[in-house]
Amino acid sequence: MKRVIILGATGSIGLQALEVVATGRDLTVVGLSCGRQVKTLVEQAMAFGVTELAVADEAAAAGISPGLFPEFTVRAGAGAAARLVREVEADLVLNAIVGFAGLEATVACLEQGRPLALANKESLVSGGRVVSGLAAQRGVDILPVDSEHSALYQLLGGEERAAVRSLILTASGGPFRGRSLGQLRDVGPEDALAHPTWSMGAKISIDSATLMNKGLEVIEAHHLFGVPYDQIEVVIHPQSLVHALVRLVDGALLAHLGVPDMRVPIAYALYHPERRVGAVPQLDLASASPLEFLEPDPAAFRCLELARQAGLAGDAATCALNAANEVAADAFLDGRLPFLGIPEVIERVLELTGQASPAGYSEVAALDAWARVKAREVVVEKAGFA
Ligand code: NDP
Ligand code: MG
């Protein structure tokens, strides 16, 4: 039995991971965490026989006090998920927390040399070399859960690095694919949340609409696979059936295909190095055609280029980019910022960001906090002029 801790269990990835565990064999859940949805967490804990829990929101955690639920050990507060990772023995940690909040648990997991299945791409974008360096130092092979990176991990398995010319990440293009800059001026949160091919949490859905998700994934790929930015390409592929490709020096192009269902990369990471029969239908190639591939539009979707520039500038810039993006995406969801204000906020924060790379978790956290303050100021300034 492989003992697994699932962080962010109440979210889109967390729920699908529990489905993989429930329908499969040989996996047992030994720890669960959430932000504030404690009712769902308690149901999950009871269904999977888990007693070790973590809840980030202190007020929400009061709902599972020892008086009410003596069977649970509940860690509460901002660092609760990291404490769960440090205190509970496990063979694998799946980090499916959303946003920068996932970084501390990633660091805790790597410090212990524990295998890590990483959905929380923001860990690598904010933490950069702090995370990749720690993984290398402790000999932890990070198993990507992001579908494109899972595909790349599988494609790269049999190749010499010298044979790889570039990595290609596919992007569905999100709900606004094909729209011009002018056609994005008045789009609202409901339009942005309606993703055509993937069903995901709110933040990543907004990131998909701005193409920041692909920008974050370029940075994620750089750190996971140690490939320079000029060897990471992005192509729009509306059908979301080809998850990633690897271009080789001899002209061959390797592709990874499958139905767009996150249970496939989740199961791959949970069972690695084994493969199991999945509950996901096989892709019917005859009905899958045509497969289209298009260039992204840099004028309408500026976030992709901003992320690439931040990647080239270094770890301080990617950390600030991530923080500014989280603040701007939140403000857009709350109706405080127009859709096209998202890249403007990020660009302004990047202009204000210094170059010195943060050296450890606390420096990354301080830079993240600074960038959030700046981003909030820019959001307020923009609202004032609206
Ligand atoms: P969701 O918003 O659906 O779920 C997020 C999870 O994190 C929930 O369990 C939530 O708890 C918890 N959480 C929220 N805030 C905090 C916090 N401050 N501290 C601790 N836990 C917190 O997100 P997704 O499942 O969509 O995404 C999770 C991660 O996976 C993201 O990094 C995303 O980019 C990545 N990913 C997601 C994909 C998808 O298909 N959804 C695909 C590829 C990558 P609660 O429910 O209690 O608020
Ligand atoms: Mg992805």
Side-chain angles (χ1 to χ4, degrees), residues 120-140:
N120 179 255
K121 63 190 89 184
E122 296 91 343
S123 282
L124 279 163
V125 177
S126 301
R129 275 172 293 176
V130 168
V131 170
S132 57
L134 199 53
Q137 188 196 339
R138 301 297 158 104
V140 179

Side-chain angles (χ1 to χ4, degrees), residues 121 146-148 213-214 217:
K121 63 190 89 184
D146 216 347
S147 56
E148 300 78 0
N213 183 48
K214 217 45 56 178
E217 290 184 0

Side-chain angles (χ1 to χ4, degrees), residues 289-373:
S289 59
L291 300 178
E292 299 166 279
F293 299 96
L294 315 154
E295 288 287 336
D297 174 355
F301 300 97
R302 293 184 51 228
C303 286
L304 179 56
E305 192 48 35
L306 286 171
R308 201 179 270 281
Q309 284 167 10
L312 289 168
D315 284 4
T318 56
C319 177
L321 170 102
N322 181 70
N325 179 55
E326 288 190 24
V327 169
D330 253 9
F332 168 68
L333 277 169
D334 289 356
R336 287 179 284 119
L337 187 72
F339 186 72
L340 293 178
I342 297 174
E344 290 177 13
V345 170
I346 296 164
E347 187 171 37
R348 182 73 194 114
V349 172
L350 285 177
E351 282 165 7
L352 298 170
T353 305
Q355 297 211 325
S357 291
Y361 172 74
S362 41
E363 286 186 30
V364 176
L367 180 54
D368 172 87
W370 171 85
R372 274 166 207 273
V373 171

Side-chain angles (χ1 to χ4, degrees), residues 110 118 120-136 140-142 144 149 152-153 156 161 167 169 215-229 232 307-308 310-319 321 357-358:
L110 296 175
L118 189 63
N120 179 255
K121 63 190 89 184
E122 296 91 343
S123 282
L124 279 163
V125 177
S126 301
R129 275 172 293 176
V130 168
V131 170
S132 57
L134 199 53
V140 179
D141 185 19
I142 298 176
H149 305 71
L152 288 170
Y153 185 94
L156 289 168
R161 260 329 131 84
L167 311 182
L169 300 169
L216 300 178
E217 290 184 0
V218 168
I219 300 166
E220 181 186 11
H222 167 78
H223 289 296
L224 278 173
F225 304 115
V227 170
Y229 284 102
I232 305 174
R308 201 179 270 281
L312 289 168
D315 284 4
T318 56
C319 177
L321 170 102
S357 291

